Structures are given as structure tokens and as C-alpha cells.
Amino acid sequence: MTTDIGIDKTLEKPKKTPKQRILSVLKTALLYGVIFLVIYSVVNWWRQPVMPADPQLQLMDYQGQPVDLAELSRQQPTLIYFWGTWCSVCSVTSPTINRLAATNDHAVITIAVQSGSNQELRSYLDQHQFGFTTINDQEGDIFADWQGQVTPSYVVLENGKMTQGLTGIQPLWSLKLRLWLASVF
């Protein structure tokens, strides 16, 4: 004998309050943010340039002027920026590098990887109004020496030694912070 007294035996989840929903969304966003930062850091570490055991630090810019990276980096931390005229991401990062170089607060040397002849490079720099010091790595040998994998790539030199390496889009504040940290530590 069964009796049906009209009791609904399904369990309903209690509804979340708006505050609980916001906290849940924030926790999820924070979790995904941390995961992204960890993955980004690992990939950046893996792809960063590596200083050669015996690096060539006395170079010539595309105009034939000597550039002594070792000497520059003894005076202050020096940012080396590997880029290419053919690199679409570099078209976003190069204006930032130009602004950093224009302040004259930091030594900035750029290395144009496989970007054509000196005349083609000059034309590109003039067209984009870039005033930074540029070494033309026509064959990509310098970049290969540093085991560069992607452009843009950055190296911070202090006293002739690499202190930091990174890749990808970097905001101006990040580059300034890295140069400041190299000078402090």
C-alpha cells in the first residue's frame, strides 16, 4: 500500500545571492589569470634569448658607427631589442622602444634581424620615424648566436652580462621596471 501525499522528492540547489555569484566569478577569473600567468612565464622563459658563451658585443650600426654593448652596459643597464621589419608584432612593440630610447634615460640598442640591406633598413626607420640605434643583422647571425627563437625578443645587459631575457609584447612600464631592477640588483 502506497500513499501519495504530493511530496516532491527532487532536491533543488539553493540559489546563489548576487554577492555569491560575483565572488564565484572573481574566483574563476583569478584562477584563470594565475594559470595564464604561469603558462605565459614558462613559455617566455623557454623562448627567451640566451647569451652566448663568448658574445660579440662590439658591433657596427647600419650607418657604420661602432656600438660597444659591453661598455654601454657598464655605464647603465642596456636594453637590446631584437626585431624585424617583417615582424607584425614588432610593428606594435617598436613604437614603445622608440619612446623608451627617446627619453635618453636608458641605453637602448636594437638589432634588426633579416630586415634587408642598410638602405632598406634606413628607409623603414625613416618611414616609421624611429630614431633608435639599430644594428642590421642581415643574415640573422647575431640573433642565432643569442639562440633567439621569436621576435620581438629583449635582453637586459648589466656590466656585459645578461640579467634578463623576455619575448613578446612588453609595455613601456615593464621595460622601465626591468631596467630599473637591473640597476638596483
Side-chain angles (χ1 to χ4, degrees):
M1 180 178 206
T2 60
T3 59
D4 186 17
I5 54 175
I7 299 176
D8 187 6
K9 294 185 179 185
T10 61
L11 297 174
E12 289 186 27
K13 282 187 173 179
K15 295 193 182 229
K16 290 182 178 180
T17 66
K19 183 179 178 179
Q20 288 173 321
R21 276 190 243 136
I22 289 171
L23 286 174
S24 176
V25 167
L26 288 175
K27 276 178 34 179
T28 302
L30 182 62
L31 175 65
Y32 284 124
V34 168
I35 291 170
F36 171 79
L37 285 175
V38 167
I39 292 170
Y40 177 80
S41 296
V42 168
V43 168
N44 190 46
W45 172 81
W46 177 66
R47 295 182 343 173
Q48 74 181 348
V50 177
M51 188 170 189
D54 187 24
Q56 174 62 21
L57 297 178
Q58 286 73 35
L59 303 166
M60 294 288 232
D61 72 8
Y62 77 97
Q63 297 173 318
Q65 299 299 312
V67 177
D68 188 341
L69 297 174
E71 182 59 33
L72 282 172
S73 71
R74 277 194 267 299
Q75 297 168 10
Q76 64 179 320
T78 301
L79 180 71
I80 301 173
Y81 169 61
F82 293 97
W83 65 286
T85 57
W86 44 267
C87 168
S88 59
V89 176
C90 299
S91 66
V92 173
T93 58
S94 291
T96 300
I97 299 302
N98 196 51
R99 282 194 302 278
L100 181 64
T103 66
N104 291 323
D105 294 336
H106 308 282
V108 176
I109 303 298
T110 74
I111 300 177
V113 180
Q114 297 177 329
S115 295
S117 69
N118 288 338
Q119 185 56 38
E120 290 169 320
L121 181 57
R122 176 191 302 269
S123 177
Y124 182 88
L125 293 169
D126 288 346
Q127 177 185 355
H128 291 86
Q129 299 176 348
F130 293 147
F132 43 66
T133 301
T134 303
I135 295 161
N136 192 2
D137 185 15
Q138 289 185 35
E139 304 302 318
D141 296 334
I142 299 169
F143 193 51
D145 262 1
W146 286 78
Q147 298 176 33
Q149 297 182 36
V150 297
T151 56
S153 290
Y154 314 79
V155 169
V156 176
L157 284 184
E158 173 73 12
N159 295 317
K161 302 288 182 207
M162 180 176 158
T163 61
Q164 298 175 54
L166 52 149
T167 62
I169 296 175
Q170 297 295 321
L172 184 59
W173 66 265
S174 171
L175 296 170
K176 285 182 175 183
L177 177 64
R178 290 170 186 279
L179 288 163
W180 177 78
L181 287 171
S183 69
V184 173
F185 298 106

